[in-house]
Amino acid sequence: MYVRKFEADSMEEALKAIKQELGPDAIILKTVSNKGIKGAFKKNRIEITAAISEKNYTKKAKVDAILDNGQKDEFYSGSSNFISNMIDNYHQHQDEKTSRFTASNNDYGKMGLNRPVKRNDMQEQASDVMGQSQLDDFLGPEEKVEASNYHRQEAVLETAEPPHQNYQLEDKVANDTFTRPDNSHLEKIDLLEQKIFSLTQKMEAFSRPEPKGLFQLKSTLKSFDINDQFLQFLMKKCSYELNENQLENADEVFEFGLKEMMESIHLAMPQFSTMESESPIVTVFLSESSSGQSSIIKKIAAMKKDCIVIHNGEENDYKGLKNFFDIKIEKGNTISELVSMIRKGIEAGKQIFVDFNCNQNDMENTKRFIDGLNRSFQNVEVLICLSSICSELYNKKVINRYAPLSRGIVVTHLDLCLNYGSLFNLSWEYENLPFMFYSTGKAIPDDIETATAERILAGIFQF
């Protein structure tokens, strides 16, 4: 099979060249268009890779051998079906002539004679007339090609070989199962260019300068380390719900942004503050390091009557608390001791607060403890204790580690917080873990407050 590439300024010119060079039986292997995006970087031309079988190409080459350039242009300007039929008819005429020549040779052999090889002038003239007659039959009455100047011998036609030097063999194709070219790819190119044009218009719309108010809000929130994903969400919502005049007004944009931020801070109340039940509630506080967890438990226990504080930490953390606030404090070293103390407190009808210091290298121990509590007792609530003076990345690691076990978050050291934006990001990203309480100082039990969105926003914008 012969494979060749064709380049032209248009698809019509390329197909015309393929039909004239390879014939109407050529198949399209590949089409490359440099229109659209490619046209901006590469010359706008059509490149088509076409192929034809050796058999079909040989048949076409025999016809080309008896045509000059002008007759080729006229002949190949016809329809593909007409050209293909004419080539096949000519090939059949050649086969019939060859079969008659073979039969004549056999007749001479039967008579014991040799067929004359030398041809005189009369024979040559007859041969030319026969070639002219066959060519007229081949071209047909509608599109005859003037062949009076064809004075080639039949032997030249019969031994004509395809001009291999003009074609480079690029690949061997195993079969001829490729489909014929159609105009569907042109429609696809047009559709693609329409989509590119539409996208270009949209990109131009996005590239326009941002409204003044929207730009100020975006710049301000970025300076507070607000999450980029929330910024994109807020900018889109402002653009959809505010008109152009409102977007230019910084006050209106900031008011809209504050409302959205307030709704994005997720809050809830702990069960021991809202749930009235005959069965006491076990509230477990989890932390990994010095996060002020013991301090917030002291403040809650000091305000809550009939409660017991059970911990697995140091005794010094609760030194003096029993004498001043009359709170019952117990310490357990193992999980079994902690569960036993909790059971006794539940039987006595006391509210239970558990200060459980976790070991990040032994997550299984924490998980086993929480699972045991959920199986043993009816009302168990687990809260993660985070310090606002820790980095956002560290707090995220703690949340990701204990989120499957927990129901909410308690924030400590809020009076020492330097980045309220990180607390907003935590609340927005972990909406299934709402804020419960804030610890705002060392005073027991005064420096504790219910979690509110206004407290976080006041810290962010320094109201």
Side-chain angles (χ1 to χ4, degrees):
M1 177 167 283
Y2 296 100
V3 181
R4 185 182 173 188
K5 287 184 180 180
F6 295 84
E7 289 189 3
D9 294 331
S10 64
M11 181 63 67
E12 290 76 11
E13 293 181 7
L15 294 178
K16 182 179 179 181
I18 292 172
K19 185 166 65 173
Q20 186 165 355
E21 294 292 333
L22 299 183
D25 293 324
I27 55 177
I28 303 300
L29 300 181
K30 182 180 178 183
T31 302
V32 177
S33 174
N34 294 327
K35 299 175 67 176
I37 296 177
K38 289 185 178 180
F41 306 96
K42 194 174 180 182
K43 189 175 180 181
N44 186 10
R45 288 177 65 85
I46 301 293
E47 182 182 292
I48 298 179
T49 302
I52 188 173
S53 64
E54 295 183 10
K55 179 181 177 181
N56 291 334
Y57 185 72
T58 301
K59 290 161 56 176
K60 176 187 175 297
K62 290 181 179 181
V63 174
D64 291 343
I66 63 173
L67 300 176
D68 60 19
N69 292 335
Q71 292 166 340
K72 286 182 182 179
D73 292 339
E74 183 179 356
F75 176 60
Y76 287 108
S77 63
S79 65
S80 297
N81 291 334
F82 170 76
I83 297 173
S84 179
N85 291 334
M86 292 300 100
I87 292 176
D88 291 338
N89 291 338
Y90 180 78
H91 185 66
Q92 291 177 2
H93 292 165
Q94 292 295 317
D95 290 342
E96 291 175 0
K97 184 182 67 174
T98 301
S99 62
R100 290 197 301 268
F101 177 78
T102 303
S104 177
N105 281 342
N106 292 336
D107 293 339
Y108 274 96
K110 292 179 181 179
M111 297 170 61
L113 300 174
N114 293 326
R115 190 175 188 272
V117 177
K118 188 174 181 180
R119 299 170 59 167
N120 53 30
D121 294 338
M122 185 177 293
Q123 289 174 326
E124 291 179 356
Q125 184 177 1
S127 177
D128 291 340
V129 173
M130 181 179 296
Q132 178 69 37
S133 176
Q134 290 179 350
L135 182 60
D136 291 340
D137 294 338
F138 160 68
L139 295 177
E142 296 181 357
E143 298 188 18
K144 283 190 177 181
V145 178
E146 187 66 30
S148 59
N149 57 346
Y150 301 164
H151 298 293
R152 293 185 173 91
Q153 297 179 354
E154 294 177 358
V156 177
L157 290 176
E158 294 174 357
T159 59
E161 294 294 336
H164 297 277
Q165 65 275 14
N166 295 331
Y167 302 91
Q168 181 180 1
L169 184 61
E170 295 183 354
D171 192 11
K172 293 291 184 181
V173 183
N175 53 62
D176 284 338
T177 58
F178 299 97
T179 59
R180 291 184 178 273
D182 52 25
N183 294 328
S184 60
H185 57 285
L186 295 177
E187 297 176 357
K188 292 180 181 179
I189 292 173
D190 293 338
L191 180 60
L192 178 60
E193 289 184 341
Q194 292 176 4
K195 291 183 179 180
I196 293 174
F197 179 74
S198 176
L199 289 175
T200 302
Q201 289 183 326
K202 292 181 180 179
M203 290 299 295
E204 290 177 354
F206 280 112
S207 62
R208 289 180 297 182
E210 282 186 323
K212 183 178 179 181
L214 197 64
F215 177 77
Q216 289 184 4
L217 176 62
K218 183 178 180 180
S219 302
T220 303
L221 295 182
K222 276 190 174 182
S223 66
F224 295 142
D225 295 330
I226 301 300
N227 189 295
D228 288 337
Q229 294 180 352
F230 175 79
L231 286 179
Q232 294 177 6
F233 163 77
L234 182 59
M235 296 302 104
K236 290 180 180 179
K237 194 161 187 179
C238 288
S239 300
Y240 283 125
E241 298 190 15
L242 300 179
N243 57 40
E244 294 183 0
N245 293 333
Q246 291 174 322
L247 292 176
E248 293 290 342
N249 190 324
D251 293 336
E252 294 190 19
V253 174
F254 269 81
E255 182 180 358
F256 182 87
L258 287 174
K259 291 180 180 179
E260 290 297 324
M261 293 181 69
M262 189 171 296
E263 294 177 358
S264 300
I265 298 176
H266 305 287
L267 308 170
M269 293 294 292
Q271 291 184 10
F272 67 82
S273 297
T274 59
M275 186 174 179
E276 297 294 337
S277 174
E278 297 179 358
S279 176
I281 299 170
V282 179
T283 305
V284 182
F285 294 82
L286 301 179
S287 68
E288 290 186 349
S289 59
S290 179
S291 61
Q293 175 172 296
S294 300
S295 175
I296 201 168
I297 292 177
K298 294 174 188 177
K299 297 170 185 177
I300 295 174
M303 295 185 296
K304 196 74 175 177
K305 297 181 180 180
D306 297 330
C307 66
I308 300 176
V309 176
I310 301 174
H311 67 97
N312 64 341
E314 299 293 335
E315 292 284 356
N316 293 332
D317 293 340
Y318 293 92
K319 187 176 181 180
L321 185 63
K322 181 177 181 180
N323 297 330
F324 284 100
F325 296 98
D326 193 21
I327 299 174
K328 185 177 181 179
I329 302 172
E330 296 183 358
K331 180 181 183 299
N333 296 319
T334 63
I335 292 178
S336 59
E337 290 180 358
L338 294 173
V339 174
S340 177
M341 294 175 182
I342 293 172
R343 181 174 288 107
K344 291 179 180 179
I346 294 294
E347 292 175 353
K350 304 289 186 180
Q351 297 286 351
I352 309 298
F353 297 99
V354 180
D355 181 1
F356 191 83
N357 291 318
C358 306
N359 184 356
Q360 62 179 352
N361 298 323
D362 191 8
M363 267 293 298
E364 288 298 324
N365 186 49
T366 302
K367 187 175 184 300
R368 187 167 54 253
F369 173 63
I370 300 301
D371 290 342
L373 293 181
N374 289 326
R375 290 193 302 268
S376 302
F377 307 105
Q378 181 179 358
N379 299 317
V380 177
E381 184 176 44
V382 181
L383 305 178
I384 301 175
C385 191
L386 299 179
S387 175
S388 58
I389 61 177
C390 294
S391 67
E392 180 180 345
L393 180 61
Y394 174 79
N395 286 333
K396 282 184 178 181
K397 290 181 179 179
V398 175
I399 293 176
N400 291 332
R401 194 173 288 121
Y402 302 106
L405 308 175
S406 309
R407 181 180 172 271
I409 295 174
V410 176
V411 181
T412 65
H413 300 139
L414 197 64
D415 55 317
L416 302 177
C417 179
L418 298 177
N419 187 2
Y420 285 87
S422 65
L423 297 179
F424 174 84
N425 294 338
L426 293 176
S427 179
W428 185 73
E429 292 184 35
Y430 301 95
E431 58 182 12
N432 294 329
L433 295 174
F435 287 166
M436 301 285 189
F437 278 96
Y438 299 146
S439 176
T440 58
K442 296 182 179 180
I444 300 174
D446 297 332
D447 294 338
I448 186 174
E449 61 185 57
T450 303
T452 60
E454 290 81 1
R455 187 71 167 85
I456 300 296
L457 295 180
I460 293 176
F461 294 98
Q462 299 180 359
F463 293 155

